[in-house]
Amino acid sequence: MTRQLALLGSAVCLVLSTGAASAVDLPIRKAGLWEMKMVRTGGQIPEVTMQHCTDETTDKEMSTAASPLAKQVCAKQDVQKTATGYVSDSVCGIAGVNVTSHAEIIGDFNSAYTVKSTSHSEGGPSGAHDATMTIEAKWLGACKNDQKPGDIIMPGGMKMNIKDMEKLKGLLPKQK
């Protein structure tokens, strides 16, 4: 269960750092089943692959849901279009941990895209540390018959729906 919570935490951070409305909105991904391979250094889980079933409405809702949460925990959040894709810079703080991150996003959002991010965290039980994460996402085709938009299938077969993330807002510590 701890591993699934860590994966969920990574997913939340990703949504906060790249999904919220900002100077430039990221494109909507092609509807269907996406495989997302996350490779991370400086963390407990070096690599994980999950699948995400999505559609246009769900991708838009993810941005809409993340935006108020990001505004609550992020002092800075900026996404800009570049010649090769997008760049995101953010400074967020939650539960006494401050995270400064930079991400470069390339790809077409129809068949594949890559997110390369670096972050520096301070505070919390682990103190200051740096981490890098690469997410390689590729479109696999239509969602499976037992999947609905928003479903994330984690290693081991655990399934959750990203639309339930709204419920997690209540678990965040109140900002002072």
Side-chain angles (χ1 to χ4, degrees):
M1 187 63 168
T2 302
R3 181 179 176 143
Q4 277 80 14
L5 290 175
L7 294 173
L8 180 59
S10 293
V12 168
C13 289
L14 177 64
V15 168
L16 287 177
S17 66
T18 61
S22 56
V24 173
D25 289 332
L26 293 173
I28 300 298
R29 294 178 295 169
K30 182 177 184 175
L33 188 61
W34 286 84
E35 179 181 84
M36 297 171 26
K37 178 181 176 184
M38 298 176 10
V39 179
R40 183 182 160 129
T41 62
Q44 297 174 344
I45 303 170
E47 182 177 318
V48 66
T49 300
M50 61 181 86
Q51 294 182 344
H52 184 201
C53 173
T54 192
D55 62 7
E56 182 177 352
T57 302
T58 303
D59 256 19
K60 285 181 182 177
E61 286 176 359
M62 283 174 51
S63 288
T64 303
S67 185
L69 183 57
K71 287 177 184 171
Q72 182 180 350
V73 299
C74 298
K76 174 187 177 184
Q77 189 150 30
D78 185 40
V79 178
Q80 296 296 323
K81 176 92 173 98
T82 67
T84 58
Y86 298 85
V87 172
S88 170
D89 290 291
S90 62
V91 178
C92 303
I94 187 165
V97 178
N98 292 312
V99 181
T100 302
S101 65
H102 174 81
E104 295 180 9
I105 307 156
I106 57 172
D108 64 12
F109 294 87
N110 286 313
S111 61
Y113 64 92
T114 301
V115 180
K116 293 184 178 187
S117 68
T118 57
S119 64
H120 177 75
S121 302
E122 292 184 9
S126 61
H129 68 278
D130 295 324
T132 63
M133 181 168 52
T134 300
I135 299 171
E136 295 175 352
K138 67 180 176 181
W139 188 75
L140 300 178
C143 295
K144 297 176 183 171
N145 290 336
D146 64 340
Q147 296 172 341
K148 63 183 187 278
D151 281 351
I152 297 175
I153 298 83
M154 296 188 205
M158 181 180 159
K159 186 189 322 186
M160 61 167 279
N161 195 288
I162 196 75
K163 294 177 182 183
D164 294 334
M165 299 291 271
E166 183 74 22
K167 298 173 188 172
L168 296 177
K169 285 184 189 178
L171 300 176
L172 290 175
K174 300 294 180 209
Q175 299 291 325
K176 296 178 183 176

